[in-house]
Amino acid sequence: MKKISWTNIMLAGLLAACMTACGGPKQGMSGGKETQVVGAKAEEAKTDETKTKTDGQGETSGEDIHIGVMATLTGYPLNGEHMRNGVLLAIDEINKNGGVLGQKLVADVQDCSNTTDIGINAINKLVSENVSGVIGPHYSTQGLAVESIINQAKIPMLVGGTSPKFVSDVDNDYLFRIRASDTLQASAAVSYLVDSCGATKVAILHGSDDFGTGGMQVATSYLDDAGIPYCTQSFNNEDTDVTSQILKCINENCDGVMIWATEAAYPIVARQMYELGLAAPTITNPSLAVDSCLAQLEEEWVEGWYCVTDFLSNNPTDKIQKFMKAYREAYGENESIDLHCAAYYSAVYVLADSIERAGTTDGEAVAKALWETKDVEGLVGDFNCNADGEMIHEIILGQCKSLAIEYMDVIR
């Protein structure tokens, strides 16, 4: 059975984008709870309450293949818009090259905001519409809240959440992760503090949610094994004062800091660390590399900080730079491009590859093909599914300089 070549389709898509200049994908709507888009080159259509439908340009035959997308279009809107843009760009490229099983891909985008209740409503809507797979949500808390629904419906879901709980607490044959897990990322972060920065006592400042707690637990396990002392301090991601937690780390003479939290926490944590004089080598989760996070920071707060992440736009590899060119031709030269664009663009390709190999859109067959995924090229690493449904096994190390994250190296 025919297998999609990610590289060939991507290159063909890039060529088409170059030929059509600014004729690439247009954004769908972002103000409502639902956006349905056919292909990425969609013309804006009439809006009926909260629903927009637009037609794509793919030359395919037969019934459309609907892919559900759970994107945070309210709450942290830039992240969701970037996620949607990446998905639509990939769909447009695939449709221009014959689609999947000779059929056109359709994105059914649901706003899952940043709360579990809205996320549950979004996944229930997608399940009711019999989508062939779901891409997202991005945040671990939402993914953990909805995974049982897709398990019961037997619809594969490719999540971006990185919490270790997806492995330790979940048994779901339809759940796959398309970003490197916190087990890999947090271990790499804390080991860099110890091995490369020389930290002898580590301060771990973390969000109190599943994501932040999971990263903290991975880091402390590593430090326990290494015999390195540490101080852990938690906060709510929306807290406006974390001075007591920072002062505790200072009073315990910590000489290295690891921060594990969502984007919302960084303006407060970074500013108050700077004001209180916690000036130790600092490394963070991928939130620091997100444009919407950097835009809220001052240079002096985070200069020289390190981060582990999935994707950096200044990664010099050909596939990244070709993607950057295609994305900007589609959405504009001044558009920022971050891990949300890249990770979910890649997720479309791996889902399309699995549907093609399965020869059907049946959920059980597609899930089986996802489990068998090997060496499918992606922008956040190559997709190789392991026994836990983890597909990505590498991360990038970067450093913040002048409010931009500079590429340092890939860690495998």
Side-chain angles (χ1 to χ4, degrees):
M1 143 188 338
K2 176 184 173 186
K3 181 175 179 179
I4 289 179
S5 170
W6 191 99
T7 304
N8 291 341
I9 290 180
M10 181 179 177
L11 290 175
L14 293 173
L15 178 61
C18 292
M19 294 174 63
T20 57
C22 295
K26 308 298 181 185
Q27 291 190 27
M29 54 84 76
S30 61
K33 295 300 179 190
E34 177 184 355
T35 305
Q36 189 176 75
V37 182
V38 182
K41 280 190 63 177
E43 298 295 334
E44 185 174 355
K46 295 181 180 180
T47 300
D48 178 15
E49 295 179 346
T50 61
K51 189 171 185 177
T52 301
K53 292 184 179 179
T54 52
D55 292 330
Q57 308 297 319
E59 297 180 0
T60 60
S61 61
E63 297 291 331
D64 294 337
I65 296 175
H66 290 253
I67 295 175
V69 181
M70 292 181 65
T72 304
L73 299 174
T74 54
Y76 305 125
L78 184 59
N79 298 349
E81 290 166 12
H82 281 182
M83 177 181 177
R84 178 185 59 193
N85 288 352
V87 166
L88 297 184
L89 179 59
I91 285 178
D92 193 55
E93 291 174 0
I94 291 169
N95 285 346
K96 284 177 179 176
N97 287 278
V100 177
L101 302 177
Q103 298 166 239
K104 188 190 310 182
L105 291 182
V106 175
D108 187 342
V109 183
Q110 296 290 328
D111 177 17
C112 59
S113 191
N114 59 346
T115 66
T116 55
D117 287 347
I118 295 177
I120 289 169
N121 289 338
I123 196 65
N124 282 330
K125 184 70 163 62
L126 293 174
V127 167
S128 72
E129 294 179 351
N130 298 313
V131 295
S132 299
V134 176
I135 294 174
H138 180 73
Y139 293 104
S140 297
T141 300
Q142 284 192 326
L144 292 165
V146 305
E147 59 86 14
S148 62
I149 298 173
I150 62 102
N151 191 26
Q152 183 176 7
K154 297 184 178 181
I155 297 174
M157 182 168 74
L158 284 66
V159 299
T162 56
S163 170
K165 288 187 176 181
F166 282 113
V167 173
S168 63
D169 296 5
V170 173
D171 182 13
N172 189 334
D173 289 340
Y174 296 87
L175 181 68
F176 304 87
R177 178 145 48 186
I178 51 87
R179 295 176 60 218
S181 72
D182 281 348
T183 302
L184 177 61
Q185 294 199 36
S187 293
V190 73
S191 66
Y192 188 81
L193 275 182
V194 173
D195 297 337
S196 298
C197 299
T200 60
K201 186 169 187 178
V202 176
I204 303 174
L205 294 164
H206 67 95
S208 58
D209 59 356
D210 288 326
F211 170 68
T213 301
M216 177 273 293
Q217 290 171 341
V218 170
T220 56
S221 178
Y222 175 92
L223 293 170
D224 285 336
D225 290 343
I228 304 293
Y230 54 85
C231 170
T232 64
Q233 294 292 306
S234 69
F235 49 82
N236 297 320
N237 287 304
E238 290 76 22
D239 282 351
T240 58
D241 186 0
V242 293
T243 55
S244 62
Q245 293 94 322
I246 294 170
L247 287 172
K248 177 71 172 176
C249 297
I250 293 173
N251 292 336
E252 296 217 5
N253 298 313
C254 295
D255 57 3
V257 180
M258 179 177 125
I259 303 173
W260 218 258
T262 65
E263 295 94 317
Y266 275 80
I268 297 299
V269 175
R271 176 174 63 82
Q272 294 186 345
M273 280 180 59
Y274 176 78
E275 292 172 347
L276 295 170
L278 182 50
T282 299
I283 194 164
T284 79
N285 64 288
S287 292
L288 185 67
V290 175
D291 289 336
S292 57
C293 180
L294 287 166
Q296 301 177 70
L297 307 176
E298 297 293 335
E299 181 178 332
E300 61 267 26
W301 299 351
V302 293
E303 185 69 9
W305 282 19
Y306 301 95
C307 73
V308 291
T309 188
D310 313 68
F311 172 86
L312 288 176
S313 61
N314 55 14
N315 183 328
T317 59
D318 286 345
K319 68 179 179 181
I320 299 300
Q321 293 309 310
K322 288 174 181 176
F323 166 73
M324 299 283 295
K325 184 174 185 293
Y327 190 96
R328 285 183 170 144
E329 285 173 346
Y331 296 108
E333 285 298 321
N334 296 322
E335 283 294 309
S336 61
I337 304 174
D338 59 23
L339 68 88
H340 302 91
C341 314
Y344 298 102
Y345 170 94
S346 299
V348 174
Y349 273 98
V350 77
L351 180 58
D353 173 83
S354 298
I355 293 171
E356 190 77 39
R357 284 187 287 113
T360 176
T361 58
D362 173 73
E364 291 185 74
V366 174
K368 182 177 183 294
L370 283 164
W371 283 107
E372 295 169 351
T373 296
K374 297 294 180 187
D375 299 322
V376 174
E377 189 177 17
L379 299 175
V380 292
D382 291 346
F383 289 86
N384 290 280
C385 192
N386 68 12
D388 295 316
E390 308 274 354
M391 291 194 156
I392 300 296
H393 311 282
E394 63 184 60
I395 58 173
I396 291 172
L397 178 68
Q399 186 174 27
C400 190
K401 295 183 179 179
S402 302
L403 287 180
I405 307 299
E406 294 191 0
Y407 175 88
M408 293 177 65
D409 200 3
V410 171
I411 303 172
R412 292 182 174 87

